[in-house]
């Protein structure tokens, strides 16, 4: 390997592509006539769209993963909500080791999550740097910056929950020498400092983003920033701020619960009244784009006798623990879990759009994630693989805000009955006369099941070890497995300056 290539390789892996162009086409296209963000203000909007596009990254085996296969493994599959799925040896050394908590620092998925998120942070920093020379009005510029800072905060929030304190990179390196020698790129900030930076970005977003009714579909809003900031304060234990921020969202009049719980997980229900922030696919990105390996990795898989055109790889299967968590009559159960017919009558399973999945003798597993099923019959797709159909990914919705508000009320000694019972009523359940933390935990579990928050909720409550072991994931070690290991590749390329998490 020659020296120039060696330097570039190190820069790419350690510095997360900060000194090279973002992979998004919006950022790579050479503009005719040499227009710049200074002479052509419309390019500022293109930069922001490029930042949003970075959320679609889903390559767990190469360029980096943000919301693909590795993300699903590190959120749902690591929790008690789901099992690995597929067959035993399928991805045993990637997803399997995360599912059973035998993951090591050399795990490929840990590294691809790290690089994927820092690639996205790099695109944010590139945009913010370009904005310094933008000749557009101050209000518009502040709004564009707020959108980018919201997404950067989102990336760091995911990183700090997965890895703890991480390198806090808030600017683009001056040159290769800066990239290779500046300690900010090679050493970890503390968890507290990382959270402080997230809070600063989100507060800027709260102050400068418009309300949902004043914003373009798919763009971050004031309500999204308030909700995300409330969630960050929930993780840091600042319950007074959680209550203030969730009250602001609730009282804004911008959001409401949809009557039909399951409708918001179908394409026809995307960006509805309950939606606060979604990762947009399809027309938002000027094409029929989706997140690679998101839909297809979770789709029901052929098995046994076969005889049908299956819909995916069969990973992230709802667990027996999740199934048993629902109260009798809870409408959310049937909208969250696809149950494969195992009756011996071969009646199969009819999905909401009329698609029939055969019975268990022709299907690999007995349960699948209904919230990520995208109709094979009601939509037309033009992407390469019809099985990897585009679907928005919900990051924040109003029910989550109501439950955050309820939890804050309980923590502050107040009354949580109204927000919690609104959520229960929609699920067809009777109201709780008095709300305890046990009620909050139960409601978050079943309301947000298979939506990527469960494992992190258990960690912040201090319940991860007991719940994991009770659900059969007995390799979980308290004080270790709450976090993923810092990737060995990143430690090596930092010359040992990146420190490892405890127990690894």
């Amino acid at each position: 390997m020659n020296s120039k290539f060696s330097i570039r390789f190190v820069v790419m892996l350690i510095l997360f592509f900060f000194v090279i162009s973002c992979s998004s086409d919006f950022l790579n296209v050479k503009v005719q006539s040499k227009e710049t963000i200074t002479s052509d203000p419309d390019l500022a909007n293109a930069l922001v769209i490029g930042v949003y596009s970075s959320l679609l990254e889903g390559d767990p085996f190469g360029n980096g993963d943000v919301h693909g296969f590795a993300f699903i493994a590190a959120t749902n599959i690591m929790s008690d909500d789901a099992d690995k799925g597929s067959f035993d040896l399928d991805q045993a050394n990637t997803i399997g080791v995360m599912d059973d908590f035998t993951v090591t620092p050399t795990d490929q998925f840990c590294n691809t999550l790290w690089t994927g998120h820092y690639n996205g942070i790099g695109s944010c920093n590139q945009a913010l740097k370009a904005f310094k020379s933008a000749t557009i009005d101050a209000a518009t510029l502040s709004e564009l910056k707020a959108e980018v800072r919201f997404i950067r905060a989102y990336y760091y929030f995911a990183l700090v929950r997965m890895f703890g304190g991480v390198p806090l990179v808030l600017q683009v390196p001056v040159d290769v020498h800066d990239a290779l020698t500046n300690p900010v790129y090679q050493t970890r900030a503390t968890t507290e400092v990382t959270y402080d930076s997230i809070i600063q970005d989100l507060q800027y977003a709260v102050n400068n983003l418009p309300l949902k009714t004043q914003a373009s579909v798919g763009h971050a809003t004031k309500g999204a920033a308030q909700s995300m900031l409330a969630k960050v304060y929930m993780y840091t234990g600042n319950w007074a701020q959680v209550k203030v921020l969730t009250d602001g969202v609730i009282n804004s009049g911008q959001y409401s619960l949809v009557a039909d719980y399951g409708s918001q997980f179908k394409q026809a229900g995307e960006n509805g009244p309950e939606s606060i922030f979604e990762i947009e696919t399809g027309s938002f990105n000027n094409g029929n784009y989706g997140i690679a390996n998101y839909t297809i990795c979770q789709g029901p898989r052929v098995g046994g006798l076969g005889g049908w055109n299956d819909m995916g790889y069969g990973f992230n299967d709802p667990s027996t623990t999740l199934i048993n968590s629902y109260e009798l009559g809870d409408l959310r159960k049937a909208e969250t879990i696809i149950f494969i017919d195992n009756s011996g009558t071969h009646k199969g399973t009819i999905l909401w759009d009329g698609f029939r999945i055969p019975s268990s003798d022709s299907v690999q597993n007995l349960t699948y994630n209904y919230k990520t099923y995208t109709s094979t019959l009601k939509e037309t797709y033009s992407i390469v693989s019809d099985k990897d159909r585009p679907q928005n990914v919900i990051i924040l919705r109003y029910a989550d805000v109501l439950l955050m508000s309820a939890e804050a009320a309980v923590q502050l000694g107040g009354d949580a009955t109204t927000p919690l019972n609104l959520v229960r009523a929609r699920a067809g359940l009777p109201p709780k006369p008095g709300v305890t933390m046990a009620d909050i935990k139960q409601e978050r579990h079943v309301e947000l099941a298979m939506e990527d928050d469960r494992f992190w909720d258990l960690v912040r409550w201090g319940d991860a070890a007991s719940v994991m072991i009770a659900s059969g994931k007995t390799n979980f070690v308290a004080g270790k497995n709450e976090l993923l290991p810092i990737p060995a590749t990143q430690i090596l390329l930092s010359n040992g300056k990146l420190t490892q998490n405890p127990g690894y």
Side-chain angles (χ1 to χ4, degrees):
M1 183 182 294
N2 64 47
S3 60
K4 286 186 178 180
F5 184 79
S6 178
I7 290 173
R8 185 174 179 83
F9 180 74
V10 171
V11 170
M12 288 172 68
L13 288 180
I14 300 179
L15 307 177
F16 332 111
F17 301 94
F18 289 160
V19 297
I20 63 175
S21 297
C22 172
S23 61
S24 168
D25 288 342
F26 289 108
L27 302 183
N28 284 337
V29 171
K30 302 297 183 183
V31 181
Q32 298 298 317
S33 304
K34 298 183 179 179
E35 283 87 356
T36 67
I37 196 170
T38 301
S39 59
D40 184 0
D42 287 343
L43 289 181
N45 291 303
L47 279 172
V48 174
I49 296 300
V51 169
Y52 281 107
S53 294
S54 70
L55 294 166
L56 296 172
E57 192 65 64
D59 182 0
F61 302 106
N63 293 327
D65 192 296
V66 177
H67 291 107
F69 215 162
F71 169 76
I72 293 163
T75 53
N76 288 332
I77 295 176
M78 279 177 56
S79 79
D80 60 330
D81 271 2
D83 299 315
K84 178 179 77 70
S86 187
F87 56 90
D88 287 347
L89 295 179
D90 195 5
Q91 295 299 323
N93 292 327
T94 53
I95 303 174
V97 295
M98 297 179 87
D99 185 28
D100 65 13
F101 295 100
T102 56
V103 64
T104 68
T106 60
D107 179 70
Q108 183 176 18
F109 276 16
C110 290
N111 193 57
T112 197
L113 285 165
W114 181 281
T115 56
H117 282 77
Y118 274 109
N119 289 346
I121 290 167
S123 70
C124 294
N125 290 339
Q126 292 280 10
L128 291 170
K129 178 182 178 181
F131 289 156
K132 293 179 180 179
S133 61
T135 56
I136 53 182
D137 67 274
T140 300
L141 184 60
S142 294
E143 183 176 329
L144 293 176
K145 288 180 179 178
E147 290 188 73
V148 173
R149 292 183 69 173
F150 171 84
I151 295 172
R152 185 171 70 177
Y154 172 74
Y155 280 132
Y156 270 117
F157 188 34
L159 283 171
V160 76
R161 289 184 291 177
M162 287 189 288
F163 297 104
V166 292
L168 196 58
V169 182
L170 304 176
Q171 67 281 320
V172 178
V174 176
D175 51 29
V176 171
H177 181 265
D178 178 38
L180 294 175
T181 59
N182 191 331
V184 74
Y185 305 125
Q186 300 180 1
T187 58
R188 300 173 66 180
T190 65
T191 298
E192 292 75 19
V193 169
T194 305
Y195 270 116
D196 285 345
S197 179
I198 294 168
I199 289 168
Q200 289 177 37
D201 273 350
L202 289 175
Q203 189 59 61
Y204 184 89
V206 169
N207 295 341
N208 290 283
L209 288 175
L211 296 172
K212 181 178 181 178
T213 51
Q214 300 167 345
S216 299
V217 172
H219 289 257
T221 64
K222 183 182 184 70
Q226 288 172 310
S227 302
M228 188 70 72
L229 184 53
K231 183 163 284 192
V232 169
Y233 278 128
M234 186 169 70
Y235 278 77
T236 60
N238 190 335
W239 295 106
Q241 281 297 319
V242 176
K243 191 68 171 65
V244 168
L245 288 159
T246 53
D247 281 352
V249 175
I250 292 167
N251 296 328
S252 70
Q254 301 286 299
Y255 308 98
S256 61
L257 295 177
V258 297
D260 178 0
Y261 175 80
S263 66
Q264 61 195 308
F265 307 110
K266 301 177 176 68
Q267 284 189 309
E270 290 172 349
N271 300 305
E274 190 164 338
S275 172
I276 296 178
F277 186 69
E278 300 182 16
I279 297 171
E280 301 292 326
T281 59
S283 60
F284 177 80
N285 287 290
N286 197 30
N288 208 11
Y289 299 138
I291 300 170
N293 300 301
Y294 181 78
T295 301
I296 193 170
C297 83
Q298 303 180 72
R301 179 182 183 127
V302 70
L305 297 178
W308 63 294
N309 183 23
D310 73 5
M311 293 176 284
Y313 306 151
F315 291 99
N316 193 33
D317 298 342
S319 66
T320 301
T321 302
L322 175 60
I323 294 169
N324 293 338
S325 296
Y326 291 92
E327 297 173 58
L328 185 65
D330 193 328
L331 300 175
R332 295 169 292 197
K333 184 176 182 179
E335 301 288 352
T336 301
I337 304 169
I338 296 174
F339 291 95
I340 302 303
D341 171 37
N342 197 31
S343 66
T345 64
H346 301 285
K347 64 182 179 180
T349 300
I350 308 299
L351 302 182
W352 64 264
D353 62 348
F355 185 88
R356 179 184 181 274
I357 301 176
S359 300
S360 58
D361 56 359
S362 293
V363 184
Q364 183 68 50
N365 309 104
L366 292 178
T367 59
Y368 291 97
N369 184 0
Y370 214 163
K371 289 181 176 179
T372 57
Y373 171 72
T374 307
S375 176
T376 62
L377 303 178
K378 301 295 185 183
E379 305 287 350
T380 300
Y381 303 98
S382 59
I383 56 177
V384 175
S385 172
D386 190 55
K387 291 182 180 180
D388 211 6
R389 301 174 301 279
Q391 181 185 47
N392 283 7
V393 177
I394 298 172
I395 301 301
L396 291 165
R397 58 186 179 88
Y398 188 55
D400 192 359
V401 170
L402 290 172
L403 293 175
M404 285 193 281
S405 177
E407 187 168 352
V410 169
Q411 294 286 353
L412 296 169
D415 182 6
T417 55
T418 297
L420 183 127
N421 285 328
L422 284 171
V423 174
R424 286 180 60 81
R426 196 255 303 270
L429 297 175
K432 290 278 186 179
V435 175
T436 65
M437 266 308 298
D439 297 325
I440 298 291
K441 292 177 180 181
Q442 162 67 12
E443 216 56 47
R444 283 192 68 84
H445 188 190
V446 292
E447 174 67 27
L448 304 173
M450 307 299 289
E451 293 182 51
D452 312 314
D453 262 350
R454 172 63 174 171
F455 181 75
W456 291 329
D457 270 346
L458 292 172
V459 170
R460 71 180 177 85
W461 288 326
D463 294 343
S466 60
V467 171
M468 291 299 103
I469 292 170
S471 67
K473 300 187 179 189
T474 56
N475 290 321
F476 188 97
V477 176
K480 172 186 175 181
N481 292 121
E482 291 87 353
L483 297 174
L484 294 173
I486 303 299
T489 299
Q490 305 302 326
I491 295 176
L492 178 65
L493 293 172
S494 74
N495 292 317
K497 295 184 179 68
L498 281 175
T499 58
Q500 185 54 270
N501 282 326
Y504 293 104

